[in-house]
């Protein structure tokens, strides 16, 4: 909850990947708040007020996942909206203002994005969401102890740099401080 608030304010790309994890954590616990509290929250949070705050946050997420039909797959509407905003910003930076810095980051990541898109079960997903899915898969594979080749590490790095650049533009856009020049 606190990480979600912090990342949403400071780095939207980290926020999206963190929330992908939270959604999967909820699904792994069968959308059961008692299981989440007993196995994840209570062992880590000793402050009763903070535990209650986290419990309520998870309850709200579970409720929204049920209402939105996201019990088995998909993302909460809020995340889909953020992903759509990021895609529209990406399209603006590439096609409308032709921002040189962003275009360079995109061109560097494009082969890796296309490769991940090709390997994806759903190749109809846009390249920005493919990038988030790729970095999220890296998180999961790292947790499983997966080792990566140098070329795969390089691919992940180029995608991370692209999404980091996009996140920086997003932050500026949200604050009203965006510069759409060709710098």
């Amino acid at each position: 909850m606190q990480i979600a608030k912090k990342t949403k304010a400071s780095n939207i790309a980290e926020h999206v990947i963190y929330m992908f994890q939270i959604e999967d954590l909820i699904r792994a616990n069968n959308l059961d708040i008692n299981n989440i509290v007993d196995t994840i929250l209570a062992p880590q949070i000793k402050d009763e007020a903070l535990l209650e705050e986290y419990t309520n946050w998870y309850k709200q997420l579970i409720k929204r996942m049920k209402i939105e039909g996201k019990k088995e797959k998909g993302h909460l509407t809020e995340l889909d909206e953020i992903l759509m905003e990021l895609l529209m910003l990406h399209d603006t930076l590439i096609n409308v203002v032709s921002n040189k810095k962003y275009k360079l980051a995109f061109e560097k990541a494009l082969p890796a994005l296309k490769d991940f898109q090709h390997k994806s079960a759903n190749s109809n997903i846009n390249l920005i969401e493919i990038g988030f899915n790729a970095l999220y898969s890296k998180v999961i594979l790292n947790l499983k102890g997966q080792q990566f080749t140098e070329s795969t590490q390089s691919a992940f790095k180029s995608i991370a740099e692209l999404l980091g650049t996009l996140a920086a533009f997003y932050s500026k856009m949200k604050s009203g401080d965006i510069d759409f020049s060709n710098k």
Side-chain angles (χ1 to χ4, degrees):
M1 175 188 72
Q2 291 175 341
I3 293 172
K5 286 179 185 176
K6 179 182 173 194
T7 57
K8 190 170 185 181
S10 65
N11 187 323
I12 199 67
E14 287 179 10
H15 175 73
V16 168
I17 292 169
Y18 177 74
M19 290 306 296
F20 282 8
Q21 282 183 282
I22 295 299
E23 290 172 333
D24 278 351
L25 178 122
I26 290 170
R27 288 184 187 110
N29 284 278
N30 299 311
L31 286 80
D32 182 343
I33 190 61
N34 294 324
N35 198 42
I36 292 170
V37 170
D38 294 343
T39 61
I40 298 165
L41 300 178
Q44 296 180 55
I45 303 171
K46 301 305 175 196
D47 179 279
E48 286 297 320
L50 190 57
L51 178 60
E52 183 177 343
E53 199 175 331
Y54 269 88
T55 301
N56 289 334
W57 184 68
Y58 274 94
K59 280 180 182 177
Q60 288 303 309
L61 290 174
I62 290 168
K63 180 180 178 182
R64 287 174 36 214
M65 288 174 75
K66 288 178 179 178
I67 290 170
E68 295 177 18
K70 308 295 179 166
K71 290 191 239 180
E72 295 179 20
K73 65 180 181 174
H75 302 296
L76 290 165
T77 300
E78 176 186 334
L79 286 176
D80 283 339
E81 289 172 358
I82 291 169
L83 288 168
M84 188 55 63
E85 283 181 314
L86 289 166
L87 177 61
M88 290 189 315
L89 178 58
H90 160 81
D91 286 342
T92 299
L93 292 167
I94 293 290
N95 300 315
V96 177
V97 297
S98 196
N99 182 277
K100 290 177 185 174
K101 177 182 177 183
Y102 186 75
K103 278 184 101 165
L104 283 173
F106 179 65
E107 288 167 3
K108 184 177 176 186
L110 187 57
L113 290 168
K114 290 283 192 183
D115 188 42
F116 279 106
Q117 186 178 42
H118 178 72
K119 293 175 183 176
S120 172
N122 186 354
S123 59
N124 294 332
I125 298 174
N126 68 70
L127 291 176
I128 297 305
E129 192 166 348
I130 289 288
F132 280 105
N133 290 344
L135 293 185
Y136 179 59
S137 70
K138 181 183 182 204
V139 169
I140 298 302
L141 293 171
N142 276 337
L143 291 172
K144 293 179 178 181
Q146 174 77 34
Q147 299 295 313
F148 301 104
T149 65
E150 194 173 309
S151 64
T152 302
Q153 285 285 42
S154 178
F156 283 131
K157 182 180 180 199
S158 68
I159 293 170
E161 288 172 356
L162 170 68
L163 295 181
T165 303
L166 184 58
F169 277 106
Y170 182 88
S171 179
K172 288 179 181 180
M173 179 185 77
K174 286 296 192 179
S175 70
D177 192 30
I178 195 160
D179 177 9
F180 281 119
S181 68
N182 271 339
K183 295 179 191 172

